[in-house]
Amino acid sequence: MTVICIAEDRSSEEIAVKFLLLSLSRHCPDIKTIVTFPPATEKFQKFTENLPNIELRTTPIQGSFGWNVKPQAMLSLFEEGYEEVWWIDSDIILIDDFRNRLENFSD
């Protein structure tokens, strides 16, 4: 199973995470997305509840901090059994389904 991995620990980046999640919901609504955002407010949690295939986690990823979060976040999802994990930085906004651009790449 494929999953998109997003992790952000700075509350100042909440709006960036929201824009990313909205763009994923619009262009890739069928892909499960796990976003780890420990500073999530109740308002942010309610926001994510209305988006398809978004799972919000508010517990910090063990052993990670700052820029070090990417490998730990991805490895934890592989350990949970996901076969394919895609990392997307929290300051990205999709303008279409990115998978269309990857069709010619081999596994």
Side-chain angles (χ1 to χ4, degrees), residues 17-33:
V17 176
K18 282 183 174 181
F19 279 127
L20 171 55
L21 295 178
L22 286 169
S23 68
L24 279 166
S25 294
R26 180 174 187 171
H27 299 292
C28 304
D30 59 315
I31 301 178
K32 180 171 181 147
T33 299

Side-chain angles (χ1 to χ4, degrees), residues 35-54:
V35 57
T36 302
F37 190 50
T41 62
E42 186 176 323
K43 186 176 178 181
F44 185 87
Q45 292 176 23
K46 289 184 184 202
F47 166 81
T48 61
E49 290 171 3
N50 295 316
L51 300 174
N53 285 321
I54 303 294

Side-chain angles (χ1 to χ4, degrees), residues 57-73:
R57 298 181 179 183
T58 57
T59 303
I61 297 166
Q62 190 172 24
S64 69
F65 55 90
W67 57 269
N68 184 33
V69 71
K70 183 194 276 189
Q72 298 301 328

Side-chain angles (χ1 to χ4, degrees), residues 3 7-8 11 16 27 50 58 70 73 86 100:
V3 67
E8 181 57 67
S11 60
H27 299 292
N50 295 316
T58 57
K70 183 194 276 189
W86 291 87
N100 298 332

